[in-house]
Amino acid sequence: MSVCSRAQKIIESGEPRLAVTAEYIYKDTLKSLARRWDPKRKAWILPYTPEAWQSVYLSIPGIAYDDAIENELSGKEMDIDKPIPDAPPMPIKAHIKPFRHQQGAYANAINRFYSGGQGYAYWMEMGTGKSLTAVGTVGRLYLDGRAKRVLVIAPLAVVPVWPREFADYADFEHTVAPLEGDRNKKLKALATLGRFGKGLQVAVINYESAWRIAEELIEWDADVVICDESQRIKDPQSKQSKAIHRLGREARYKLILSGTPISNSPLDVFSQYKFLDSNIFGENWFPFRAEYAITGQEVNHQTGKSYTRVIGYRNLPELVEKAHSIAYRVTKAAALDLPEQVEQTLYCELEPRARKAYNDLRKHSIAELDGLPAVTAQHVIVRLLRLSQICGGFLRTDIDGFEDDPNAGQLLPISDAKQRLFEETLDDILGAGKKVVVFARFTAEVRRICKYVGKKYGEGAYRLIDGSVKGEDRGEAVRAFQEDPGVRVFVAQIATAGLGITLTAADTAIYYSYDYSYANYEQSRARIHRIGQKNTCTYLHLAVRDSIDEEVMEVLRHKGNIATMCVDKWKELLK
């Protein structure tokens, strides 16, 4: 953001007030909420009340604010502080002890379902364990004879995660089938699950695919439909949302999981709740918008036609109260029993052209190494690096035999898969009002990351430390990230920025790519997990499926270094 959105507590005539500074696009919203404009402060002045703050917080995504506001105006009792209602035990493996907030969310959902409710929302911030809670919830429905089939609809990057979540947590018989590949493969997997699946049958599919085979999914007749990262259906007019609304109408029970249910506008909740339980906000978008939005007429200068545009919001405390009536909200800051660090891997698939290049290079590398009289670590690492570069979206062309080719030895773009995954992940985090640190290994990746952040959020929204940044300038980059609310992203090259700096303004780090050294990896993690950090730290690893990404992560997970093992195990790394 070129202009920081910020709320501060001020004192006027002995009374507290909210002073809000925001980007111009929020002018109409603030005008509808504020008492007046203060030209001296260049801020909108609002009453210092929980209702006013709630309206501002929902209307302006990513707004920064004082600790005083958090302590005094966000003091409404959190769900996590309320007594946990009685409920049958959560059917998860005996060695796993769910956190108090997971028990509370589970118990509230089960009580709602068992008393005739249709749906429940887990508004649980990334890293607070909403997947385990969902597994326990559907497991209880299965054991009590209320559900035999579950459909999980998730972002493409998360589809491979769900089978592992059930394997790790579920203490009940189940069969999980990811619906992947082309249409025929998806339908075959669904039919096989229905015919041979044992215990609770769980089908997992991505949002884009779900609406394309909606008729077959409706025919499969799931008892429970789960929308993971439900903000993906916030547009009520999209084909995707409409298809998932239909799936929801056919199911007995529905869950939505999201840490950012309101990512751009308070009106984002309508479509999600239309899926979840239309009794909350109704079936029709226009009465809902009329109740909670202030609209104005604009003219499209190209066509000359007028159209209705939202220029502000109203009745937001009522909107929140209604939405919260069937939701359990958890933030990492409130969940004090969380571990200090949590991790998640998000996956993407290489496009056919990039996958072919990857497989060709892998086979060629194996053949080359097999032909050497002695394999050294350097031989292996050179080839691994080229594979890692493809995973990051770039292919280094050959030099030998192509000396006259101007592209010889250059790093050329070949894939957008990981970049698209990164952009989606980053937007979710920033939409929740958080700061984030992004680690990448290769210079081309760093430049691509910065280009996206600068274009979408403004050149002032990020700071960078890589080999091109002078040592005397690095301290100022860190200071800006730590202290300036408008600087929301810190992009760091692992080998350059992995030591000696403190980035605790963020509690979330994204690993776009990986260093092969465990020491460097561990040092980079410590940039956000150090003295001054008040929250649980979340590490998101982006990985290409069936690639060197997964092999490197497995080595690092076991505190190993690629260089020390690659001579003896290079075939495993290149498989």
Side-chain angles (χ1 to χ4, degrees):
M1 293 185 183
S2 56
V3 178
C4 172
S5 299
R6 184 171 183 82
Q8 294 177 292
K9 177 184 179 180
I10 63 171
I11 303 296
E12 284 190 340
S13 303
E15 295 293 328
R17 300 281 188 268
L18 275 174
V20 181
T21 303
E23 293 179 271
Y24 184 78
I25 59 173
Y26 300 114
K27 176 179 70 70
D28 291 326
T29 294
L30 288 169
K31 191 174 181 179
S32 69
L33 297 172
R35 285 185 173 176
R36 69 180 191 281
W37 167 256
D38 184 334
K40 188 174 181 179
R41 286 193 173 91
K42 295 184 178 179
W44 296 93
I45 307 302
L46 284 74
Y48 195 71
T49 64
E51 292 76 19
W53 168 238
Q54 182 76 76
S55 298
V56 170
Y57 181 76
L58 291 178
S59 303
I60 306 174
I63 189 168
Y65 50 91
D66 293 342
D67 289 342
I69 296 174
E70 173 70 19
N71 297 333
E72 297 168 15
L73 299 184
S74 301
K76 179 182 174 183
E77 183 182 23
M78 298 286 291
D79 290 331
I80 197 170
D81 299 321
K82 297 175 182 177
I84 298 174
D86 292 335
M90 189 185 297
I92 59 175
K93 292 180 178 178
H95 69 277
I96 299 173
K97 179 174 174 53
F99 300 114
R100 189 179 189 281
H101 64 271
Q102 293 172 317
Q103 295 171 338
Y106 160 83
N108 277 277
I110 289 297
N111 275 277
R112 175 163 176 78
F113 290 150
Y114 285 23
S115 62
Q118 302 174 22
Y120 202 76
Y122 291 153
W123 285 8
M124 300 170 66
E125 191 177 320
M126 185 183 296
T128 57
K130 54 185 177 287
S131 297
L132 180 147
T133 313
V135 169
T137 304
V138 297
R140 175 48 57 193
L141 294 172
Y142 164 70
L143 293 174
D144 289 353
R146 293 172 176 262
K148 295 181 180 178
R149 293 180 172 179
V150 175
L151 175 65
V152 179
I153 308 172
L156 182 63
V158 184
V159 169
V161 176
W162 275 95
R164 291 210 311 271
E165 304 282 30
F166 272 89
D168 290 345
Y169 304 138
D171 192 24
F172 52 87
E173 190 173 28
H174 62 276
T175 307
V176 183
L179 307 185
E180 299 175 307
D182 59 27
R183 178 186 175 87
N184 289 335
K185 288 181 179 178
K186 292 184 181 77
L187 296 180
K188 182 178 180 180
L190 189 65
T192 301
L193 176 64
R195 193 174 302 119
F196 302 111
K198 295 181 179 180
L200 181 67
Q201 298 177 11
V202 183
V204 188
I205 191 169
N206 71 75
Y207 281 99
E208 175 68 18
S209 297
W211 76 265
R212 295 182 182 278
I213 62 166
E215 297 298 334
E216 290 82 359
L217 292 174
I218 289 172
E219 187 177 339
W220 190 65
D221 193 23
D223 301 295
V224 186
V225 179
I226 299 174
C227 281
D228 188 10
E229 302 298 344
S230 60
Q231 68 272 16
R232 298 292 189 277
I233 58 167
K234 66 186 180 185
D235 179 3
Q237 302 303 319
S238 71
K239 291 181 179 179
Q240 183 170 282
S241 297
K242 290 178 178 179
I244 290 168
H245 293 158
R246 288 184 59 207
L247 287 166
R249 285 194 292 270
E250 300 295 326
R252 291 177 65 191
Y253 305 108
K254 289 154 283 187
L255 285 170
I256 61 175
L257 319 180
S258 179
T260 54
I262 299 172
S263 55
N264 292 314
S265 159
L267 306 185
D268 289 350
V269 300
F270 172 78
S271 183
Q272 297 174 70
Y273 275 67
K274 184 176 180 179
F275 161 79
L276 193 64
D277 187 342
S278 60
N279 292 317
I280 304 299
F281 293 116
E283 289 272 357
N284 194 311
W285 161 252
F286 295 102
F288 170 82
R289 186 182 68 179
E291 180 70 19
Y292 298 109
I294 301 167
T295 58
Q297 292 296 308
E298 298 282 342
V299 176
N300 185 317
H301 296 295
Q302 291 184 336
T303 64
K305 294 182 179 180
S306 63
Y307 64 96
T308 301
R309 184 174 75 89
V310 173
I311 61 174
Y313 303 98
R314 59 187 172 197
N315 302 326
L316 292 185
E318 176 192 293
L319 180 147
V320 171
E321 184 175 357
K322 283 187 174 183
H324 208 265
S325 67
I326 57 168
Y328 194 95
R329 179 63 172 145
V330 178
T331 64
K332 285 197 292 188
L336 300 178
D337 55 350
L338 279 172
E340 292 185 345
Q341 302 178 76
V342 295
E343 302 185 32
Q344 185 178 3
T345 302
L346 303 174
Y347 293 92
C348 59
E349 300 275 359
L350 288 176
E351 305 90 339
R353 173 172 171 255
R355 173 53 69 181
K356 182 179 186 304
Y358 183 94
N359 289 341
D360 288 347
L361 178 59
R362 179 181 58 83
K363 292 174 184 176
H364 184 65
S365 297
I366 291 173
E368 281 186 324
L369 293 172
D370 267 334
L372 293 175
V375 175
T376 67
Q378 187 61 28
H379 288 142
V380 179
I381 287 177
V382 167
R383 289 155 178 83
L384 294 180
L385 284 172
R386 294 185 67 187
L387 292 173
S388 290
Q389 287 171 333
I390 293 177
C391 291
F394 298 89
L395 174 67
R396 186 170 295 283
T397 58
D398 286 329
I399 296 177
D400 294 341
F402 297 90
E403 287 79 6
D404 296 330
D405 188 335
N407 289 325
Q410 290 189 14
L411 206 57
L412 304 177
I414 192 172
S415 170
D416 294 323
K418 188 175 283 190
Q419 180 67 18
R420 287 195 302 270
L421 174 57
F422 163 73
E423 292 172 7
E424 185 177 88
T425 304
L426 180 75
D427 292 347
D428 283 347
I429 296 169
L430 296 186
K434 287 185 165 291
K435 293 193 175 193
V436 64
V437 177
V438 184
F439 288 110
R441 178 169 191 170
F442 301 107
T443 299
E445 297 170 344
V446 169
R447 289 173 180 165
R448 198 178 200 186
I449 290 165
C450 292
K451 182 179 180 181
Y452 173 76
V453 178
K455 183 176 181 180
K456 180 158 187 178
Y457 296 98
E459 291 298 330
Y462 75 91
R463 292 295 185 271
L464 164 68
I465 290 184
D466 68 356
S468 68
V469 178
K470 296 178 181 179
E472 58 266 28
D473 296 330
R474 296 179 183 182
E476 174 55 26
V478 171
R479 186 208 62 76
F481 182 72
Q482 289 289 93
E483 299 177 9
D484 185 345
V487 181
R488 308 180 66 198
V489 182
F490 196 95
V491 184
Q493 199 164 22
I494 297 175
T496 307
L499 285 169
I501 60 175
T502 295
L503 301 172
T504 50
D507 60 25
T508 303
I510 299 173
Y511 280 87
Y512 193 101
S513 54
Y514 316 99
D515 194 294
Y516 294 170
S517 162
Y518 175 75
N520 289 349
Y521 172 67
E522 188 66 13
Q523 286 288 349
S524 67
R525 288 169 63 97
R527 297 314 97 210
I528 66 171
H529 185 251
R530 58 198 294 113
I531 293 172
Q533 181 57 263
K534 299 176 182 179
N535 298 330
T536 291
C537 293
T538 300
Y539 302 95
L540 303 174
H541 300 86
L542 310 186
V544 171
R545 289 179 67 182
D546 301 320
S547 77
I548 185 64
D549 279 352
E550 294 179 305
E551 301 301 325
V552 172
M553 283 194 300
E554 186 64 21
V555 172
L556 295 177
R557 193 171 288 122
H558 291 89
K559 301 184 179 182
N561 289 324
I562 298 293
T564 60
M565 62 171 288
C566 61
V567 174
D568 295 327
K569 298 184 177 181
W570 61 266
K571 286 190 177 180
E572 294 179 24
L573 294 170
L574 287 168
K575 70 180 180 181

